[in-house]
């Protein structure tokens, strides 16, 4: 069977979303490396009075942390990596904003997707970058199968066995949709009751 490859503006959107994912992953990895370093040299409790939500105050505390020369060098380099990943992420987000302003069709679909509880701008644009033009979808069930959120089925004769989700499709998109679902059940009482 033939497959659909996003074309034109949707392909450009995919490039931008891929770059955002790369820098978001780099930020996460760098934060984990910093935490690992602090645990390894027993400095994790030095900033206990500072908000550890990676605020500017917390990062400033890391820059002023008293430690050995080798640890200081490593920590400073990791903080530079974190700063670079943050600045690149902001640059990509501003490019995405301009991109949406230039492509009215994509922006219109983004607004439609954001009307669904839990789905924000990044999740909406990631969905559009992965599926391409939504007009190419034959039915809504096709989207679930494309992402890999439908149950696996193994049937023989009269026996129908359904399992966990198939995990086909894009893992990053699946993770974003799971996060969107958690946000949706917190904000929408009816969805929360159903869940």
């Amino acid at each position: 069977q033939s497959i659909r490859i996003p074309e034109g503006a949707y392909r450009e959107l995919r490039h931008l979303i891929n770059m955002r994912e790369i820098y978001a992953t780099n930020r996460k990895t760098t934060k984990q490396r910093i935490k690992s370093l602090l645990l390894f040299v027993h400095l994790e409790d030095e900033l206990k009075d500072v908000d550890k939500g990676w605020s500017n105050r917390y990062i400033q505390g890391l820059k002023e942390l008293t430690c050995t020369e080798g640890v200081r060098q490593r920590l400073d380099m990791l903080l530079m990596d974190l700063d670079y990943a943050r600045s690149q992420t902001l640059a990509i987000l501003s490019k995405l904003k301009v991109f949406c302003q230039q492509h009215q069709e994509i922006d219109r679909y983004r607004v439609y997707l954001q009307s669904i509880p839990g789905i924000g701008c990044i999740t909406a644009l990631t969905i559009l970058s992965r599926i391409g033009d939504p007009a190419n979808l034959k039915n809504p069930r096709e989207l679930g199968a494309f992402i890999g959120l439908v149950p696996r089925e193994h049937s023989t004769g009269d026996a129908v066995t359904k399992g966990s989700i198939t995990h086909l499709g894009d893992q990053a998109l699946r993770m974003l949709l799971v996060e969107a679902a958690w946000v949706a059940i917190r904000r929408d009482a009816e969805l929360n009751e159903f869940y």
Side-chain angles (χ1 to χ4, degrees):
Q1 289 183 344
S2 62
I3 59 170
R4 288 190 307 269
I5 299 172
E7 297 175 351
Y10 290 96
R11 180 172 271 193
E12 294 303 312
L13 177 61
R14 181 176 280 193
H15 290 305
L16 291 172
I17 289 295
N18 286 344
M19 289 307 298
R20 192 208 71 81
E21 288 174 4
I22 287 169
Y23 288 115
T25 301
N26 288 350
R27 271 184 29 223
K28 180 180 174 184
T29 303
T30 303
K31 288 177 182 180
Q32 289 170 341
R33 287 180 179 158
I34 291 171
K35 285 181 181 179
S36 176
L37 175 63
L38 294 176
L39 284 169
F40 184 72
V41 295
H42 306 291
L43 292 174
E44 68 275 9
D45 291 331
E46 292 297 316
L47 298 170
K48 60 185 170 195
D49 60 334
V50 180
D51 172 37
K52 292 187 180 179
W54 294 98
S55 63
N56 288 334
R57 187 170 168 226
Y58 180 69
I59 292 171
Q60 188 62 37
L62 289 173
K63 289 178 180 177
E64 297 168 358
L65 192 64
T66 305
C67 50
T68 64
E69 187 178 341
V71 172
R72 176 82 271 152
Q73 180 67 36
R74 189 169 171 198
L75 186 57
D76 286 344
M77 292 180 83
L78 287 170
L79 288 170
M80 283 191 291
D81 289 346
L82 181 61
D83 188 47
Y84 178 73
R86 286 174 115 186
S87 65
Q88 292 299 94
T89 302
L90 289 173
I92 292 293
L93 291 176
S94 77
K95 292 265 187 207
L96 281 169
K97 184 177 180 181
V98 170
F99 182 85
C100 286
Q101 290 170 351
Q102 293 171 346
H103 298 89
Q104 297 301 316
E105 176 184 306
I106 289 176
D107 197 45
R108 189 176 78 246
Y109 284 133
R110 177 191 61 81
V111 171
Y112 291 157
L113 284 168
Q114 282 186 251
S115 68
I116 300 170
I119 293 185
C121 181
I122 295 300
T123 305
L125 290 175
T126 304
I127 291 169
L128 290 171
S129 75
R130 296 298 181 247
I131 66 172
D133 188 353
N136 293 329
L137 293 173
K138 294 179 182 134
N139 60 54
R141 292 187 315 270
E142 190 176 80
L143 180 60
F146 180 77
I147 296 170
L149 288 173
V150 294
R152 183 182 316 270
E153 183 176 331
H154 180 72
S155 303
T156 57
D158 292 336
V160 175
T161 307
K162 296 202 177 204
S164 61
I165 61 172
T166 62
H167 294 284
L168 297 174
D170 187 75
Q171 181 182 8
L173 178 57
R174 229 180 2 267
M175 287 178 6
L176 282 174
L177 288 174
V178 169
E179 291 298 321
W182 282 110
V183 171
I185 62 171
R186 281 197 305 265
R187 292 191 177 169
D188 189 320
E190 191 174 324
L191 277 177
N192 190 5
E193 187 176 316
F194 177 77
Y195 176 76

